[in-house]
Amino acid sequence: LAITFYPASIYLSAKKKTQLTFGARARDPVVSINGDRIVFVQNRPGGTQLAICDIDGKNIKPLYIPEVQVRITRPEWLSESEILFVERDLKGIELIKKLELTTRNISVAENWQSLQPLHFPRAQKNGIFFVADGSGLANVYFAKGWNQPARPVTNTATRMMTAEWDEKSND
């Protein structure tokens, strides 16, 4: 797979797209907050890894390589130096983890453990949305920050996938 980036100004005026990687087996790309880097999941033999590159697709570097058969999905920039992602371990447990870019330290939000499995993190300027199945149904939860207590936002009998903060209505 290849990352295809659609800068709004180029797409709207020229109606073109630009392929940024070739043979990198990249998926789930997310542009950094200041727009200079892309973090993505990279498929590798027997698993996945978290990788980063410049906005032009150059200088691809692995950030985190878990053991074989561990799956990484859904990277998300929490800040310019922190990346959230979902990791499914060898026992099938899915957790949201945080990678500190400067130290390469990985942490797990202890306050969210009872809600697992956890999916679809979405960092917003006022906090973090994520989906948790701990109650038996997938509902959206919200925490004001990393490892802060989370509260349910939805209570549905179906499956929620993600949430977004509406800055206009503050909802």
Side-chain angles (χ1 to χ4, degrees):
L1 298 176
I3 296 174
T4 303
F5 179 59
Y6 300 89
S9 60
I10 291 173
Y11 182 75
L12 294 175
S13 63
K15 297 187 180 182
K16 297 180 6 177
K17 61 182 178 179
T18 304
Q19 184 172 340
L20 297 180
T21 64
F22 298 86
R25 301 182 69 189
R27 62 179 173 85
D28 294 346
V30 184
V31 177
S32 66
I33 295 165
N34 70 11
D36 65 342
R37 298 173 289 175
I38 300 170
V39 68
F40 58 94
V41 174
Q42 192 170 29
N43 294 321
R44 63 186 178 93
T48 56
Q49 65 188 29
L50 197 60
I52 194 166
C53 67
D54 297 335
I55 194 68
D56 61 3
K58 306 276 190 267
N59 300 317
I60 295 174
K61 296 177 187 150
L63 291 174
Y64 171 59
I65 305 170
E67 61 185 296
V68 174
Q69 297 299 319
V70 171
R71 184 188 72 205
I72 293 174
T73 58
R74 306 295 288 207
E76 177 79 13
W77 291 90
L78 183 59
S79 71
E80 280 299 319
S81 62
E82 301 169 307
I83 299 168
L84 302 179
F85 61 94
V86 177
E87 182 177 282
R88 184 173 194 255
D89 69 15
L90 296 173
K91 296 176 185 172
I93 297 171
E94 291 188 62
L95 296 172
I96 297 171
K97 295 190 172 186
K98 180 178 76 166
L99 169 71
E100 299 273 348
L101 284 176
T102 52
T103 63
R104 301 286 170 100
N105 285 339
I106 304 256
S107 59
V108 175
E110 299 299 325
N111 279 327
W112 305 345
Q113 292 293 326
S114 65
L115 302 171
Q116 66 185 345
L118 305 174
H119 321 278
F120 310 114
R122 185 74 180 113
Q124 305 282 285
K125 81 177 176 183
N126 63 332
I128 302 167
F129 288 106
F130 59 89
V131 174
D133 294 359
S135 67
L137 296 169
N139 277 291
V140 173
Y141 286 75
F142 176 77
K144 290 192 177 198
W146 177 251
N147 202 23
Q148 297 296 309
R151 64 175 175 81
V153 174
T154 63
N155 182 17
T156 181
T158 60
R159 179 171 180 80
M160 300 302 294
M161 296 296 286
T162 190
E164 192 79 27
W165 189 261
D166 183 344
E167 292 189 28
K168 204 171 199 180
S169 67
N170 209 25
D171 287 330

